């Protein structure tokens, strides 16, 4: 008898964003005349930068010519891209990361979801609450939790991110092995200072723990004093893995390209307490289960680092940050307590009512889709998240409609 992985039965019915998409579809079917504005899932709307498109086209032409055609590429990514990443995203900021410590992939969602596979099933995991659901759900699937009770999984250590701590969680009060952090944060939009991040690095060293640091939103940081990478913190190489993505940076949500940094001296431990280098384990896992991102996509990603590409991607994040500023201004003017929206494309709004009720109200009365905070965890209850990823015109229209609906 073929049996299932029973851990899947512990999961909440469906993935948050699929659930929202279903509700929106049902609303649209019943209200075909309403032009719905989507400020829910953080999906970019601006086209790929010209520099990326030109590189993409020319790589496709190479694939059409027998002399320049390529089959399988290296699973870890082509050197031309890994070298540009190491130089521009790390060395230029004083972070000591080399090209051969970069693993190119098709998304930070997959990488943040997959990385836990290389750790013991009884590892104690700490996740912030609220949190990007992928970190939690993949650990549930792997069997690191008990049942779901009263909005939380038994066995998981939750790090509350609330208005009382400015959405920067305290260090765990019980020993943990694996810690997920995301800054600028999804969903709260909070950013972390170097001093605050250094506390986590010190904790991980002291407790022999490991940090999985999701930096998918670093391109929205405008405050130069804030760290873009955890490797800007001394000692982080041994205790942190970092995830990055071209999705939000350069409009690659549909094109798919991301990368994970696994420093050569980053360690975990075997059952006898001997250090094991994670670079080798992740390399084994990645080369076994992944066959590389397509050549044209990697060429398009490389173009992000050209002079033209850098200017264009800065323009993209500036555009969404203007939307974020407008959302912050209008929702604050409507009397809501808001955070995020600076150095981040997400605005976290205290609705002072059930999150899903607030979500429904905005969809039914204003035709605007947001994300209910409760979908990100118990501490998200009472909040909604508004995403700045849409056209400026749509954001303006959405803010007018919300103001009207809430009058
Ligand atoms: C979000 O809206 O939280 C993100 O778009 C989800 C993702 O990047 O997978």
């Amino acid at each position: 008898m073929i049996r299932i992985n029973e851990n899947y039965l512990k999961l909440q019915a469906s993935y948050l964003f699929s659930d929202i998409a279903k509700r929106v579809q049902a609303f649209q079917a019943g209200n075909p005349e309403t032009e719905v504005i989507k400020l829910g899932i953080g999906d970019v709307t601006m086209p790929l930068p010209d520099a990326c498109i030109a590189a993409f086209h020319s790589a496709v032409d190479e694939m059409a010519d027998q002399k320049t055609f390529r089959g399988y590429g290296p699973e870890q990514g082509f050197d031309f891209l890994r070298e540009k990443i190491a130089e521009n995203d790390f060395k230029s900021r004083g972070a000591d990361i080399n090209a051969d410590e970069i693993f190119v992939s098709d998304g930070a969602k997959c990488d943040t979801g997959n990385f836990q596979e290389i750790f013991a099933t009884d590892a104690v995991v700490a996740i912030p609450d609220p949190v990007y659901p992928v970190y939690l759900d993949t650990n549930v699937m792997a069997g690191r939790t008990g049942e779901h009770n009263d909005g939380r999984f038994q066995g998981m250590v939750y790090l509350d991110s609330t208005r009382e701590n400015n959405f920067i969680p305290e260090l765990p009060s019980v020993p943990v092995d694996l810690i997920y952090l995301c800054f600028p944060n999804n969903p709260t939009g909070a950013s972390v200072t170097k001093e605050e991040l250094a506390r986590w690095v010190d904790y991980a060293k002291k407790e022999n723990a490991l940090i999985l640091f999701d930096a998918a939103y670093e391109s929205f940081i405008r405050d130069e004093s804030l760290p873009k990478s955890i490797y800007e913190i001394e000692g982080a190489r041994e205790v942190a893995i970092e995830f990055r993505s071209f999705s939000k940076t350069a409009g690659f949500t549909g094109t798919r390209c991301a990368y994970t940094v696994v420093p050569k001296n980053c360690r975990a431990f075997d059952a006898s307490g001997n250090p094991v280098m994670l670079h080798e384990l992740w390399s084994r896992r990645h080369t076994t289960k992944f066959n590389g991102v397509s050549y044209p996509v990697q060429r398009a990603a490389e173009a992000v680092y050209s002079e033209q590409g850098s200017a264009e991607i800065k323009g993209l994040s500036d555009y969404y940050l203007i939307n974020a500023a407008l959302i912050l201004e209008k929702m604050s003017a409507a009397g809501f307590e808001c955070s995020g929206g600076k150095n981040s494309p997400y605005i976290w709004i205290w609705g002072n009512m059930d999150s899903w009720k607030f979500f429904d109200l905005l969809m039914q009365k204003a035709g605007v889709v947001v994300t209910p905070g409760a979908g990100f965890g118990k501490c998200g209850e009472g909040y909604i998240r508004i995403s700045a990823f849409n056209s400026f015109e749509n954001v303006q229209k959405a803010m007018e409609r919300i103001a009207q609906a809430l009058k």
Side-chain angles (χ1 to χ4, degrees):
M1 180 174 65
I2 174 67
R3 291 189 45 222
I4 55 154
N5 173 353
E6 301 260 338
N7 295 310
Y8 275 67
L9 302 180
K10 298 176 191 161
L11 292 164
Q12 300 302 285
S14 61
Y15 179 60
L16 173 64
F17 293 106
S18 320
D19 196 7
I20 293 171
K22 272 190 223 136
R23 288 182 188 230
V24 174
Q25 218 175 10
F27 173 77
Q28 278 192 311
N31 301 271
E33 72 296 340
T34 308
E35 179 218 348
V36 170
I37 301 175
K38 293 184 181 164
L39 303 178
I41 190 164
D43 191 6
V44 295
T45 56
M46 296 290 279
L48 292 174
D50 289 346
C52 299
I53 287 295
F56 216 156
H57 277 297
S58 111
V60 169
D61 288 342
E62 283 181 59
M63 297 297 267
D65 185 333
Q66 176 99 61
K67 289 195 283 303
T68 47
F69 171 80
R70 292 168 189 250
Y72 291 127
E75 292 95 342
Q76 302 90 331
F78 286 101
D79 285 345
F80 62 75
L81 177 57
R82 299 166 87 201
E83 276 156 18
K84 295 269 173 20
I85 290 171
E87 192 52 49
N88 293 279
D89 290 348
F90 298 99
K91 289 194 193 304
S92 72
R93 295 189 62 86
D96 174 27
I97 293 297
N98 297 312
D100 59 0
E101 297 177 313
I102 312 266
F103 292 83
V104 175
S105 78
D106 62 350
K109 178 181 183 174
C110 320
D111 286 350
T112 54
N114 291 331
F115 211 88
Q116 50 73 31
E117 275 183 30
I118 62 175
F119 303 115
T121 35
D122 61 357
V124 179
V125 181
I127 56 152
D129 179 356
V131 77
Y132 179 44
V134 172
Y135 316 153
L136 176 62
D137 286 358
T138 51
N139 277 288
V140 175
M141 290 170 180
R144 291 197 186 87
T145 67
E147 294 302 323
H148 190 256
N149 275 330
D150 192 24
R152 290 195 156 175
F153 284 94
Q154 288 164 355
M156 180 64 64
V157 176
Y158 289 90
L159 307 170
D160 292 357
S161 306
T162 60
R163 58 153 83 76
E164 285 74 31
N165 57 26
N166 287 322
F167 306 104
I168 309 285
E170 305 299 330
L171 295 174
S173 53
V174 293
V176 302
D177 304 313
L178 187 62
I179 303 156
Y180 287 82
L181 293 178
C182 170
F183 291 107
N185 188 257
N186 177 17
T188 67
S191 38
V192 75
T193 63
K194 283 189 180 156
E195 293 69 31
E196 284 159 343
L197 200 48
R199 289 176 63 222
W200 288 92
V201 170
D202 291 345
Y203 173 91
K205 279 188 167 169
K206 198 163 128 257
E207 300 293 330
N208 287 336
L210 186 86
I211 299 169
L212 297 185
F213 188 74
D214 185 350
Y217 297 94
E218 56 73 31
S219 64
F220 296 92
I221 293 178
R222 290 294 177 274
D223 178 343
E224 270 303 316
S225 72
L226 298 175
K228 288 190 160 216
S229 164
I230 196 164
Y231 304 116
E232 290 173 40
I233 310 299
E234 208 183 314
R237 280 181 55 92
E238 295 103 87
V239 297
I241 304 296
E242 182 164 309
F243 304 96
R244 293 273 188 113
S245 170
F246 292 94
S247 285
K248 320 288 157 116
T249 315
F252 274 55
T253 51
T255 309
R256 311 308 306 152
C257 196
Y259 66 87
T260 290
V261 186
V262 189
K264 292 259 173 84
N265 59 338
C266 186
R267 89 295 174 259
F269 301 88
D270 68 13
S272 317
N274 302 311
V276 178
M277 294 305 134
L278 291 175
H279 188 274
E280 282 150 41
L281 293 194
W282 185 246
S283 180
R284 188 69 176 84
R285 192 263 174 218
H286 193 76
T287 51
T288 303
K289 294 199 181 185
F290 188 64
N291 241 343
V293 173
S294 80
Y295 173 70
V297 168
Q298 291 193 60
R299 280 292 184 202
E302 181 197 19
V304 159
Y305 299 103
S306 64
E307 205 180 316
Q308 183 191 344
S310 320
E312 286 174 343
I313 63 160
K314 162 87 171 35
L316 283 179
S317 51
D318 280 345
Y319 182 88
Y320 295 123
L321 282 169
I322 290 171
N323 290 351
L326 182 68
I327 297 167
L328 192 56
E329 179 201 322
K330 296 295 180 190
M331 293 306 283
S332 304
F336 292 99
E337 183 187 315
C338 304
S339 52
K342 290 174 184 151
N343 303 300
S344 162
Y346 295 129
I347 298 88
W348 189 238
I349 299 163
W350 173 242
N352 201 22
M353 70 172 100
D354 177 273
S355 284
W356 282 101
K357 212 159 139 194
F358 200 9
F359 166 89
D360 279 333
L361 178 99
L362 294 180
M363 186 162 68
Q364 317 260 341
K365 293 247 169 81
V368 176
V369 178
V370 299
T371 308
F376 297 103
K378 202 170 173 174
C379 293
E381 183 51 270
Y383 288 88
I384 54 162
R385 187 195 75 178
I386 301 190
S387 148
F389 293 113
N390 209 315
S391 67
F392 183 70
E393 294 69 30
N394 276 346
V395 169
Q396 255 179 331
K397 213 189 286 177
M399 291 302 111
E400 280 159 21
R401 286 200 208 161
I402 290 177
Q404 200 62 31
L406 295 175
K407 248 185 196 162

